[in-house]
Amino acid sequence: HVCPLQLDIVERIIDMYSNPGDLVLDPFGGLGTVALMAIRMGRRGYSIELNPDYFKDAVGYLKAEEEKDEQVSLFDLLEQEDAG
């Protein structure tokens, strides 16, 4: 991507202007940076992108993030054991 959006800037804006659980809309989605950071920060991300190549890349990044969220780690299992 020619002009990637800085993650720290996106994170600050999402933190300042939304709350966990909110929907964050990016009408110029690009590679999905805003939607990705929204998901990482406990929000719902929604992007609009006209370029099919950027859209496909963004979908790939967001799917990977979603799969990361669904994976159970050894630490998750240990926490469940301690709580039970």
Side-chain angles (χ1 to χ4, degrees), residues 14-28:
I14 290 172
D15 188 50
M16 287 176 59
Y17 295 107
S18 70
N19 295 306
D22 282 354
L23 175 64
V24 176
L25 170 65
D26 183 5
F28 308 102

Side-chain angles (χ1 to χ4, degrees), residues 6-75:
Q6 299 294 320
L7 293 178
D8 60 330
I9 294 170
V10 173
E11 185 176 17
R12 275 187 281 162
I13 291 171
I14 290 172
D15 188 50
M16 287 176 59
Y17 295 107
S18 70
N19 295 306
D22 282 354
L23 175 64
V24 176
L25 170 65
D26 183 5
F28 308 102
L31 295 175
T33 304
V34 173
L36 180 70
M37 287 306 297
I39 291 168
R40 287 182 181 172
M41 297 176 69
R43 278 78 165 163
R44 296 172 296 132
Y46 191 96
S47 291
I48 300 167
E49 179 53 53
L50 296 177
N51 183 310
D53 293 329
Y54 290 170
F55 176 78
K56 288 176 193 173
D57 287 342
V59 168
Y61 298 139
L62 294 169
K63 280 185 179 180
E65 187 68 23
E66 190 175 74
E67 289 170 3
K68 205 183 334 175
D69 251 3
E70 293 173 357
Q71 291 178 355
V72 177
S73 75
L74 177 60
F75 299 109

